[in-house]
Structure formats: structure tokens, C-alpha cells
């Protein structure tokens, strides 16, 4: 991968890099020197906030609305978040997807389990505690829309993980950066 | 809320999400969003039609 660049500094103190195409025309502006930690952390903390920090206002607001709506519908449909269950190894992946939602996961988790629980004891070492947790879960399981709600909550978590990765790509300059959602440049005829 | 409506809502949210995540500009976003929405709805209906002959487990 080759990059031909001319660098400068914009008003926010970020070094902006213009990528030059083969024909010598600048087609995109990429932020390359911004540390991705704060935007990524913000994106994880509140869906869409990372994009807003990068001044991608319209996509940030729309993505925030979409993820929060997905999360809200998931809760309204009596969905539950996953907890790591040694008896079900795939639950580890599902729990990671739910945790991708950031602090909102704490709210959903307290509704699902009556507390912040990330792991369900296995049936051999913690049978009593396991049964207590499962009883709390069964109250929500009885709702006919429970599995739909669970899917919505999983989807919201995965969406937010993608948003974090997207913000990371913008910060390191892997993705063309167009502040304020400027319309895409028309593709030039080859 | 009916099952079909829930499926449609899920498809719509996912379509809008990926349209804004992967494309710039209204026209490109509309195109990708509509393709995704239509693809998910048609795919789900097709899958449901294919599964129709199979009995529901535990059903009467």
C-alpha cells in the first residue's frame, strides 16, 4: 500500500493529510495523527458520540438514534442480555457482543439478572446460585417476544462495536474523512 | 407487535445503520439502504416459504 501525502494542521490541532490520487487530484482528507483512544472510548460509552467528536454530525446523530432505538426496542420486547455460562460456550461470544453496548449494557443487565452479573455459575460448583439467577431470567423468558428482544439487544451491541471500529479507522486515516457529511466527490471518468 | 412487523423493524434499523456506516451522500445511502432492506425482507420470506413444509417442533 503506497501513500503519497502532503500534510498540514487544521484548526483543531489535528494534522490533516491530503491523499493524492494517481492523476494528482486530491480527493479525500484523512485525519492521521489523532489518537484514537478518546474517540473510541467515547464511541463505546455513547453510541455515535465518537462520530460527533470527529465532526461527522449527521452520521453521528443518525447512528446514535439507530443504535439507541434498537436497544430500546430490545428492552421493550422483554429481551435479556447474555451472561457467560460455562455450560454454553457460545454464550461467551454473545456476552462480548452485549458488552459492546457500553454503559447501556449495565442497565439491561440489571433488568435481566437483577444485578450486574456477567457470569452464571456452572451447575456443579454453584447450583444454588445458578438456579436463583435462572429464576430471575425465567420471568422475562415467559414473554412471547423475548427472543426477538434478545436479538435486538445483540444487534445493538454489535452495531456499537462496529461504530467503535469505524471511529478508529477515521482516526488512523484508514477511511476517507469528510467532516459534516459533505457529499461524496463524483468519481472521475477513467 | 406482530412477528412480521418486528422483522421489518429490525431490517429497517440494520439497513439504515449500514447505509450510514458505509456510504457518503444521500443517493448512495438510499441505494444501499434499500438494497439491504429489500434483501433481508425477501430473504426472510423466502426462507420462511422454504421451511413451511417442515412441522413445528412440539406443535399440534
Amino acid at each position: 500500500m503506497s501513500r503519497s501525502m502532503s500534510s498540514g494542521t487544521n484548526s483543531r490541532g489535528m494534522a490533516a493529510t491530503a491523499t493524492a490520487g494517481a492523476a494528482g487530484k486530491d480527493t479525500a482528507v484523512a485525519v492521521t495523527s489523532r489518537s484514537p483512544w478518546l474517540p473510541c472510548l467515547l464511541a463505546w460509552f455513547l453510541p455515535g458520540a465518537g462520530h460527533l467528536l470527529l465532526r461527522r454530525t449527521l452520521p453521528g446523530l443518525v447512528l446514535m438514534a439507530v443504535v439507541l432505538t434498537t436497544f430500546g426496542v430490545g428492552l421493550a420486547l422483554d429481551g435479556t442480555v447474555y451472561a457467560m455460562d460455562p455450560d454454553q460456550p457460545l454464550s461467551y461470544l454473545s456476552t462480548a457482543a452485549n458488552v459492546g453496548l457500553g454503559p447501556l449494557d449495565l442497565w439491561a443487565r440489571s433488568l435481566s439478572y437483577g444485578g450486574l452479573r456477567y457470569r452464571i455459575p456452572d451447575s456443579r460448583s454453584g447450583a444454588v446460585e445458578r438456579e436463583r439467577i435462572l429464576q430471575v431470567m425465567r420471568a422475562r423468558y415467559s414473554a412471547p417476544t423475548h427472543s426477538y428482544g434478545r436479538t435486538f439487544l445483540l444487534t445493538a451491541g454489535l452495531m456499537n462495536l462496529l461504530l467503535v471500529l469505524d471511529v478508529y479507522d477515521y482516526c488512523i486515516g484508514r477511511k476517507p474523512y469528510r467532516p459534516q457529511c459533505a457529499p461524496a466527490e463524483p468519481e472521475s471518468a477513467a | 407487535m406482530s412477528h412480521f412487523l418486528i422483522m421489518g423493524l429490525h431490517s429497517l434499523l440494520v439497513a439504515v445503520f449500514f447505509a450510514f456506516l458505509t456510504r457518503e451522500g444521500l443517493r448512495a445511502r438510499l441505494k444501499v439502504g434499500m438494497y439491504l432492506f429489500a434483501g433481508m425482507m425477501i430473504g426472510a420470506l423466502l426462507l420462511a416459504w422454504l421451511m413451511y413444509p417442515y412441522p413445528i417442533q412440539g406443535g399440534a
Side-chain angles (χ1 to χ4, degrees), chain A residues 103-128:
Chain A
L104 289 174
D105 176 63
L106 304 178
W107 180 22
R109 204 160 286 278
S110 61
L111 282 176
S112 302
Y113 302 111
L116 299 181
R117 186 163 284 284
Y118 290 88
R119 188 175 182 279
I120 298 175
D122 62 54
S123 49
R124 290 171 294 282
S125 61
V128 177

Side-chain angles (χ1 to χ4, degrees), chain A residues 6 20 31 51 61 63 75 83 134 138 179-181:
Chain A
S6 61
V31 178
H51 285 78
L61 290 175
L63 292 168
L75 283 187
L134 291 181
R138 281 186 196 115
Q180 288 297 325
C181 189

Side-chain angles (χ1 to χ4, degrees), chain A residues 82-86 88 91-92 95 109 113 118-121:
Chain A
Y82 281 85
M84 293 177 282
D85 185 351
Q88 297 180 29
S91 64
Y92 286 76
T95 307
R109 204 160 286 278
Y113 302 111
Y118 290 88
R119 188 175 182 279
I120 298 175

Side-chain angles (χ1 to χ4, degrees), chain A residues 51 56 58-59 62-63 66-67 69-70 73 77 145 148 151-152 155 159 162-163 166 170 175 178 181-182 184, chain B residues 1-7 9-26 28-29:
Chain A
H51 285 78
R56 289 182 52 77
L58 178 64
V62 171
L63 292 168
V66 167
V67 175
T69 303
T70 308
V73 172
L77 294 177
T145 54
Y148 292 106
T151 306
F152 272 80
T155 306
M159 281 176 174
L162 284 176
L163 287 186
D166 195 51
Y170 278 118
K175 202 168 178 182
R178 296 187 182 93
C181 189
Chain B
M1 205 186 282
S2 72
H3 297 239
F4 186 77
L5 193 61
I6 294 172
M7 185 184 77
L9 181 61
H10 189 266
S11 304
L12 182 70
L13 288 167
V14 172
V16 172
F17 177 82
F18 279 105
F20 272 84
L21 191 72
T22 60
R23 292 290 185 274
E24 296 286 340
L26 179 65
R29 281 175 180 152

